[in-house]
Amino acid sequence: MAGGTGGGETITMSTHESAVQAAHAHGAPQGFIRKWVFSLDHKVIGLQYYFLALVAVFVGMFLSLLMRIHLIWPTVALPLLGDIKPETYLTLVTMHGTIMVFFVLTTAPQGGFGNYFLPIQIGAPDMAFPVLNMLSFWTTLVGFIVMIAAFFVAGGAPLHGWTGYAPLSAVQSTGPGEGLGADLWIISIAIFCIGALMGALNFITTTLDMRAKGMTMMRMPLTVWAWFVTAILGLLAFGVLLSAGILLLMDRNLGTSFYVPLITVNGQLTGHKGGSPLLWQHLFWFFGHPEVYIAILPAMGLASQLLSVFSRKPIFGYKAMVYAILGIGFLGFMVWGHHMFMSGMSPYTAFAFSIMTMGIGVPSAIKTFNWLGTIWGGRIRFDSPMLFAIGFVSLFVSGGISGPFLAQPVLDIQLHDTYFVPGHFHLIMGVASIFGIFAATYYWFPKMFGRMMNESLARWHFWFSFIGTYAIFMPMHYLGMAGMPRRYSQMTEVGYLLDLIPLQKFITYAAFITIAGQLIFLVNLFWSMFKGKKAVDNPWEATTLEWTTATPPPHDNFGGHTPVVHNGPYEYGVPGAPRDYVMQTDPEIEPAH
Amino acid sequence: MASFSTTATVTDPRVALGDDGILPPALAGGSGDRPDSGLPDYATRLRRARLGLLVALTPVLMLFVSFTSAYVVRQGLPSLDPRTATLVRDWIPVTLPKLLLINTGVLVLSSVFMELARRQIRGEAVFASADSIPGVPPASESRIPWLPMTLVLGIIFLFGQWMAWRQLAASGFYVATTPSSSFVYLLTGTHAVHLLGGVLALLGAGVASLLGLSLTRRSIVVDVTAWYWHFMAGLWVYILCLLEFAS
Amino acid sequence: MGLVLLAVIWLITFISTYFFIAKTWWLPVGASAAAAGIDHHFTTTFILMGIVFVAAQVALGYLVWSFRDRGNPAKVSYSHGNTTLEIVWTVLTTILFVGLNLTSSSIWASERFRPAAADSVQVEVTGMQFAWYFRYPGPDGKFGATNPELEDASAGGEAALGLDTKDPASKDDVVSGVMVVPVNREIEVILRAHDVIHSFFIPQMRFKQDAVPGLAIHMHFTPIQTGEYEILCAELCGLGHYKMHGIVRVVTPEEFDKWLAAREAEKL
């Protein structure tokens, strides 16, 4: 077991002098390979995850750009892809969705920032099982490589969409890309599941078992709560996705009939019979809906954190926020059927799912209310992390408000599988989460690299992203209402879609500009890493434990001593305190209730 | 949702033995009361490893819960026969090889041996770490090789499963023959892969023992593998009941 | 910075809302009996959610501007929240969200819980890569047998469906590439799929339902406006998804009878 990698684990448990001595003995690894490649240090692993996600997000974004180009200029040859075949577009759709959901939205907020900051924020020297932590990263990387490999095999990448509905995904003859490419796609996701499970195991054990003295659960920063609950969701959801993937692989390659009934493809019998296509959808969405919260919860936790830090005010309703995170996590497992209102599922079941789904809007609304309550009466500093946090709240509201449309089966009749759906989920699950990642980057960059990011570049990046995002995704709602179905590679075959082409053109132009804006971020990131202004240990005057240690943090995070926590995570503007913020490690303040 | 409370107790009562059943932050204060015998170190690591295992078993459980629901759905849902436009069921129950019962016995017995091995090595580890305490004799309990015996039984079980598959195939039930045979191979196969993990962990502990690696560390590996092994034995009984009685 | 944020957030909110209110791109004009109810519920939801949307964004913009750091050392209000407000807010949203959904239950029930009326016109709709076929049972009121082994997609028509001509019930079945239905009669749609999942979507009828292989899904709708409407596939079904396109022609009952009789005559 990886738990036995040294005396380091016990340090947090004990404030004994002897234990402190042991921490020094458990020194940082020397040599490039052990330090930066096969590192056991959660901080290095966090950075590895982050840069993996950075590569993935640019791949995913590039694919989306090609999609946008093809949509409005269907005859233009695409860069790198050349000739346009009808399936090319669907390949882009599939790979864009899969890469973004798994290797960006699941990888960066949780694997990246969670790995780096969860142990520090609870005062632990590392994750509970460092070897497992390292393995989880390398597993994820292998998953990513396998996914990319799908582009380069005969037949190319699969065209069945990121949801991979059977039988399209379960029978090799249903289209190009459904051969080896689709197998690689499933195998990649299975590998990813295993990596994510190892990560989740570490997050949960670490949070439960390695908190510093005084760090009670109700003193944990909301970011830690979010990572913790996200890990629980992952633990429950990825096993189910893995099982669904195994069944799919068997249907594809061993001739079983879990998902495939008696069907003919191009008039040819496939040899399958009796399977249930809806079974895949149930298993997939049992994972798929919690996955939405896996992507967004860390961003919610972070937004809560940042709104408090930069408003110089305690978070409004800490307990309500914790309960809302738990409520979202819990309800997240009971609403998967809302993806299946039009699937042939019993309409009674559909109605029950829709009630539950409307119910999950409630904790989300509580969070929004509390975010507004947090900035109310504050003294807001508009540093770049705060801009993105405010942007997150705005996007979260906009993306959330279209939820109750889709959650009602009656309206879903019209809106299901139209552009209304991508409009909705890109705002809330896609870009809102991405804004969380940006905010986290700007916020923690000084701690991770010891330098500040360039503030004016950051502002330009914010305006491009914020306005650009709305320009891209708000019109998708209009398209959806007008009846534009998703995943159409051309709009020339259906009469009334021709009228919608100008709107699609607008979206593509907006996408060009927004993506160009992301280059500002890339430049800022790498330029600041080497040339940025030197950062002090606590540049934002924040209270949580990562700001009590050196910049960047030493190998064991706190340089041989163990923090002792006396205060909650959001003590800003405390009356009578010498500064406008009270660190978690400062002497305990009067209970303020 | 006990694990969310501030004093999260772990469901396994043994875990709590060392530290009043309370996870940190109480531990930091709690461990200071005991004499500095090296025990808290071992207890902490053991507890953490067990907690990790408990968490790790959740996705394994979810995997099989998911397979079970697929099993129930696949068995119960009729499908349209295009020829007659009527709904038909295509579930043909598989007669399970009798060999599976023997395998079950082997696995249950191995689980018992595993438990004995766990207690044995735990005793050794506790004594080893308490060497410095005067008046306590060094460990010299039973020397029965429970661990290798468990390992052998585990391998026999896996071999037995292989034989059972051969028998199934010989009687005409291949993976894709009927949905019920698909599930037999799927469930037994996935279980075998998981048990193989336990076998490899035991092999690792054995090799570590030969190389004379730290007893503490080895005992933690054996302890955690033991709980995993018991889980696998229970899971196997469940799978067998599902295949036998729910078809 | 606070003012710029306020301006941008408000502008985005008002521009977005304007296009909704102006109905620049709105639901296509309804042509079925269910459309009025669905559209009404859509409008209700739109108004309620629109109010929440505008209120939240306007509040966000205002608060960001109003509570910006003005440089003076004025104390912030030190508060950890307000439980009463939390509870009020929670109860209000619960009532709003769940209540809104419950008000739509009768529409959903009439669309999906209730089977088609006994005198409805039956049409079997079959989706396959990448075409829709429509089958009418003929005078005997019974659909004949089909056989997957007889399917010939390239031949189209009856052969594409694999109609078993040996079955007496299939003798009078009419297979068409265009869906022709009479106005003001309930149409019972029986949805099937040969290969993968397709979705039968007629925007003007406010009708959408997946056609799933291995299932025969019974649905119904009542067109109330004659004319031609486009049928789309709304579930990703492969490389030709975007061109899996059909036409439903809603005609007067007389025209419908005439059309059906003519097709019957062709068969003999």
Side-chain angles (χ1 to χ4, degrees):
Chain A
M1 270 286 138
T5 42
E9 287 81 356
T10 55
I11 308 311
T12 26
M13 302 300 116
S14 164
T15 49
H16 292 314
E17 282 302 307
S18 58
V20 175
Q21 299 296 323
H24 291 295
H26 180 59
Q30 304 301 316
F32 183 79
I33 299 278
R34 289 305 301 262
K35 204 171 170 185
W36 294 109
V37 183
F38 294 105
S39 173
L40 298 177
D41 184 344
H42 70 100
K43 297 185 286 298
V44 177
I45 297 169
L47 290 176
Q48 290 172 326
Y49 264 118
Y50 181 79
F51 285 107
L52 170 63
L54 194 69
V55 172
V57 80
F58 274 88
V59 172
M61 205 166 63
F62 180 65
L63 298 180
S64 70
L65 190 63
L66 297 182
M67 279 156 67
R68 292 306 322 173
I69 294 173
H70 179 62
L71 258 175
I72 65 166
W73 296 300
T75 51
V76 169
L78 292 183
L80 297 189
L81 293 169
D83 280 356
I84 302 309
K85 283 173 266 163
E87 62 268 29
T88 313
Y89 179 81
L90 295 177
T91 299
L92 297 173
V93 168
T94 307
M95 298 300 274
H96 165 76
T98 314
I99 289 174
M100 287 300 202
V101 167
F102 291 104
F103 295 99
V104 178
L105 298 179
T106 313
T107 298
Q110 188 79 357
F113 293 107
N115 243 317
Y116 199 113
F117 287 103
L118 182 135
I120 308 186
Q121 286 199 329
I122 62 173
D126 204 326
M127 283 282 185
F129 308 115
V131 173
L132 209 59
N133 204 17
M134 178 183 77
L135 285 177
S136 90
F137 167 73
W138 287 102
T139 314
T140 310
L141 180 66
V142 170
F144 183 66
I145 292 168
V146 173
M147 182 64 69
I148 296 299
F151 276 116
F152 301 103
V153 297
L159 51 66
H160 51 228
W162 90 277
T163 52
Y165 275 15
L168 183 59
S169 61
V171 176
Q172 311 223 4
S173 56
T174 53
E178 292 308 312
L180 185 55
D183 283 324
L184 289 179
W185 180 83
I186 301 165
I187 291 166
S188 162
I189 289 175
I191 295 171
F192 181 88
C193 284
I194 293 166
L197 286 171
M198 290 193 278
L201 161 63
N202 241 329
F203 275 65
I204 294 170
T205 313
T206 307
T207 310
L208 287 178
D209 200 40
M210 294 184 65
R211 298 192 311 278
K213 188 178 181 188
M215 180 61 81
T216 59
M217 297 293 268
M218 281 306 185
R219 276 186 188 157
M220 296 196 311
L222 288 170
T223 41
V224 175
W225 267 109
W227 288 318
F228 178 58
V229 174
T230 302
I232 295 175
L233 295 186
L235 198 71
L236 296 171
F238 282 114
V240 174
L241 181 62
L242 190 59
S243 78
I246 293 171
L247 297 185
L248 191 58
L249 271 180
M250 289 176 73
D251 269 9
R252 294 176 51 82
N253 297 305
L254 300 179
T256 56
S257 302
F258 295 112
Y259 303 131
V260 190
L262 193 153
I263 61 170
T264 50
V265 179
N266 289 324
Q268 300 295 313
L269 283 165
T270 60
H272 298 274
K273 67 182 171 77
S276 164
L278 293 194
L279 177 60
W280 165 264
Q281 295 184 28
H282 278 292
L283 293 177
F284 181 83
W285 287 117
F286 184 86
F287 144 81
H289 202 75
E291 167 61 33
V292 172
Y293 296 102
I294 289 172
I296 192 79
L297 270 179
M300 289 166 120
L302 187 83
S304 312
Q305 170 109 354
L306 296 189
L307 290 175
S308 175
V309 172
F310 291 94
S311 301
R312 316 307 296 164
K313 246 192 96 214
I315 188 85
F316 187 92
Y318 175 86
K319 277 189 184 160
M321 290 302 237
V322 171
Y323 296 145
I325 292 175
L326 292 173
I328 288 172
F330 180 67
L331 285 173
F333 279 103
M334 309 213 285
V335 298
W336 79 88
H338 69 223
H339 297 267
M340 299 171 59
F341 289 154
M342 301 302 130
S343 69
M345 181 175 70
S346 150
Y348 299 94
T349 319
F351 195 69
F353 272 122
S354 84
I355 296 280
M356 295 303 296
T357 306
M358 294 301 262
I360 205 170
V362 175
S364 304
I366 293 173
K367 297 200 77 101
T368 310
F369 178 70
N370 287 355
W371 288 327
L372 295 180
T374 301
I375 54 177
W376 181 291
R379 200 144 46 82
I380 301 170
R381 299 174 179 174
F382 294 106
D383 295 300
S384 46
M386 183 60 168
L387 293 182
F388 279 93
I390 293 168
F392 170 86
V393 175
S394 173
L395 290 167
F396 185 80
V397 169
S398 303
I401 222 75
S402 51
F405 288 82
L406 296 166
Q408 300 182 76
V410 169
L411 304 184
D412 202 42
I413 293 175
Q414 192 69 12
L415 299 175
H416 178 74
D417 264 325
T418 66
Y419 265 58
F420 200 88
V421 179
H424 162 71
F425 75 71
H426 272 98
L427 278 183
I428 197 156
M429 174 202 186
V431 189
S433 305
I434 297 272
F435 265 51
I437 297 170
F438 284 142
T441 307
Y442 288 113
Y443 181 62
W444 278 316
F445 188 89
K447 185 54 67 180
M448 295 192 292
F449 298 103
R451 293 175 185 273
M452 306 297 288
M453 287 183 82
N454 183 297
E455 192 64 21
S456 26
L457 286 181
R459 289 187 177 185
W460 278 109
H461 174 224
F462 171 75
W463 294 118
F464 269 103
S465 306
F466 187 64
I467 300 172
T469 294
Y470 272 111
I472 295 169
F473 297 110
M474 202 44 103
M476 289 195 181
H477 295 84
Y478 310 138
L479 285 172
M481 284 163 52
M484 165 94 216
R486 293 170 73 177
R487 294 161 168 175
Y488 268 34
S489 62
Q490 289 175 38
M491 304 170 73
T492 48
E493 300 296 317
V494 182
Y496 73 83
L497 294 185
L498 295 172
D499 302 339
L500 299 173
I501 289 179
L503 201 51
Q504 290 280 23
K505 284 196 169 149
F506 174 79
I507 296 176
T508 299
Y509 299 146
F512 269 118
I513 296 168
T514 313
I515 288 176
Q518 303 317 305
L519 299 178
I520 303 176
F521 172 74
L522 209 58
V523 168
N524 195 357
L525 186 74
F526 287 105
W527 182 84
S528 304
M529 224 177 266
F530 301 103
K531 301 277 182 191
K533 203 171 77 200
K534 285 269 185 208
V536 293
D537 282 349
N538 189 1
W540 315 116
E541 301 184 304
T543 58
T544 43
L545 295 184
E546 75 269 32
W547 306 109
T548 64
T549 184
T551 300
H555 177 67
D556 67 347
N557 292 344
F558 296 97
H561 90 98
T562 307
V564 180
V565 174
H566 302 289
N567 292 303
Y570 303 111
E571 295 299 347
Y572 296 93
V574 184
R579 296 177 298 196
D580 89 321
Y581 61 104
V582 178
M583 305 291 290
Q584 288 200 274
T585 48
D586 284 347
E588 189 167 0
I589 55 169
E590 295 278 308
H593 286 293
Chain B
M1 292 228 173
S3 54
F4 296 140
S5 66
T6 45
T7 55
T9 46
V10 178
T11 45
D12 175 11
R14 286 159 201 277
V15 174
L17 277 181
D19 50 76
D20 316 317
I22 295 175
L23 289 171
L27 183 89
S31 61
D33 300 336
R34 263 176 253 113
D36 193 15
S37 61
L39 255 180
D41 180 24
Y42 173 66
T44 306
R45 288 168 60 185
L46 183 63
R47 185 199 55 225
R48 189 166 300 155
R50 284 176 174 179
L51 178 62
L53 177 78
L54 194 71
V55 178
L57 289 181
T58 315
V60 180
L61 197 66
M62 286 309 288
L63 188 69
F64 283 91
V65 165
S66 177
F67 284 150
T68 306
S69 65
Y71 185 86
V72 173
V73 167
R74 184 64 182 80
Q75 186 182 20
L77 265 192
S79 173
L80 186 76
D81 183 348
R83 291 182 192 86
T84 54
T86 51
L87 293 172
V88 290
R89 286 192 174 80
D90 63 339
W91 188 271
I92 306 163
V94 174
T95 329
L96 295 175
K98 292 280 174 288
L99 182 59
L100 287 182
L101 284 178
I102 301 170
N103 290 351
T104 309
V106 170
L107 190 61
V108 170
L109 188 66
S110 79
S111 190
V112 173
F113 285 4
M114 186 74 241
E115 179 63 17
L116 292 170
R118 186 184 76 83
R119 294 184 180 195
Q120 185 184 45
I121 197 164
R122 187 162 191 234
E124 284 174 25
V126 169
F127 276 115
S129 59
D131 265 350
S132 59
I133 301 175
V136 180
S140 58
E141 277 189 72
S142 66
R143 296 272 80 209
I144 304 170
W146 296 119
L147 201 59
M149 286 163 68
T150 312
L151 195 55
V152 169
L153 285 182
I155 293 167
I156 292 177
F157 172 81
L158 289 177
F159 183 71
Q161 296 291 81
W162 174 256
M163 294 307 291
W165 291 335
R166 297 280 301 269
Q167 287 185 13
L168 262 179
S171 61
F173 283 107
Y174 297 96
V175 177
T177 307
T178 89
S180 55
S181 71
S182 305
F183 274 106
V184 171
Y185 284 101
L186 171 73
L187 290 167
T188 54
T190 315
H191 175 265
V193 167
H194 279 87
L195 194 79
L196 192 64
V199 167
L200 291 180
L202 288 189
L203 271 178
V207 171
S209 163
L210 290 179
L211 295 176
L213 287 183
S214 147
L215 174 67
T216 330
R217 198 159 167 184
R218 205 151 33 88
S219 88
I220 291 173
V221 172
V222 170
D223 187 276
V224 169
T225 313
W227 292 114
Y228 180 73
W229 201 273
H230 299 330
F231 179 75
M232 280 301 133
L235 187 64
W236 170 249
V237 173
Y238 164 76
I239 290 170
L240 194 66
C241 291
L242 182 73
L243 294 177
E244 181 62 38
F245 299 117
S247 62
Chain C
M1 182 56 71
L3 196 61
V4 184
L5 267 173
L6 171 132
V8 170
I9 293 175
W10 283 19
L11 262 179
I12 288 172
T13 308
F14 295 141
I15 294 173
S16 308
T17 317
Y18 167 78
F19 285 117
F20 282 111
I21 293 177
K23 300 196 176 182
T24 319
W25 298 278
W26 195 250
L27 307 173
V29 177
S32 73
I38 291 176
D39 290 6
H40 179 259
H41 191 69
F42 188 90
T43 310
T44 312
T45 307
F46 174 72
I47 291 170
L48 289 173
M49 291 303 132
I51 291 171
V52 176
F53 169 68
V54 172
Q57 299 285 11
V58 165
L60 178 67
Y62 172 76
L63 292 177
V64 162
W65 168 74
S66 172
F67 295 105
R68 68 193 183 280
D69 188 358
R70 294 167 201 246
N72 58 6
K75 273 283 167 198
V76 300
S77 60
Y78 179 73
S79 148
H80 283 91
N82 183 323
T83 313
T84 322
L85 270 181
E86 300 270 7
I87 292 171
V88 169
W89 178 252
T90 309
V91 171
L92 279 182
T93 28
T94 314
I95 293 172
L96 173 68
F97 283 2
V98 178
L100 183 63
N101 200 9
L102 290 176
T103 57
S104 74
S105 58
S106 61
I107 308 172
W108 181 247
S110 76
E111 286 298 290
R112 304 282 158 126
F113 295 173
R114 176 179 70 79
D119 65 339
S120 57
V121 179
Q122 282 195 317
V123 186
E124 185 197 71
V125 177
T126 305
M128 64 188 75
Q129 289 178 334
F130 300 94
W132 294 106
Y133 286 98
F134 308 95
R135 182 156 70 125
Y136 299 78
D140 66 352
K142 272 196 292 198
F143 289 106
T146 55
N147 186 343
E149 273 139 31
L150 299 175
E151 280 170 22
D152 181 3
S154 55
E158 294 179 359
L161 289 184
L163 195 67
D164 186 352
T165 42
K166 288 197 281 293
D167 181 8
S170 66
K171 290 271 191 283
D172 61 348
D173 284 9
V174 168
V175 177
S176 166
V178 177
M179 186 179 191
V180 180
V181 292
V183 72
N184 292 327
R185 284 268 303 275
E186 188 162 82
I187 314 299
E188 178 173 18
V189 177
I190 302 152
L191 280 161
R192 290 173 58 173
H194 274 181
D195 34 36
V196 300
I197 299 177
H198 303 276
S199 192
F200 189 68
F201 180 30
I202 315 174
Q204 287 85 352
M205 298 295 160
R206 303 290 183 269
F207 185 92
K208 182 184 289 144
Q209 173 60 48
D210 285 4
V212 183
L215 295 177
I217 298 170
H218 292 249
M219 286 285 153
H220 52 84
F221 70 95
T222 310
I224 55 169
Q225 196 64 250
T226 55
E228 277 197 0
Y229 306 98
E230 285 174 293
I231 299 167
L232 285 75
C233 177
E235 188 64 77
L236 176 58
C237 59
L239 59 90
H241 176 49
Y242 69 100
K243 57 182 178 191
M244 185 166 165
H245 173 243
I247 293 286
V248 54
R249 196 182 304 143
V250 181
V251 296
T252 60
E254 298 76 41
E255 284 174 301
F256 175 70
D257 292 339
K258 221 161 77 188
W259 174 82
L260 201 59
R263 299 302 305 268
E264 292 289 344
E266 276 172 34
K267 290 205 59 157
L268 299 172

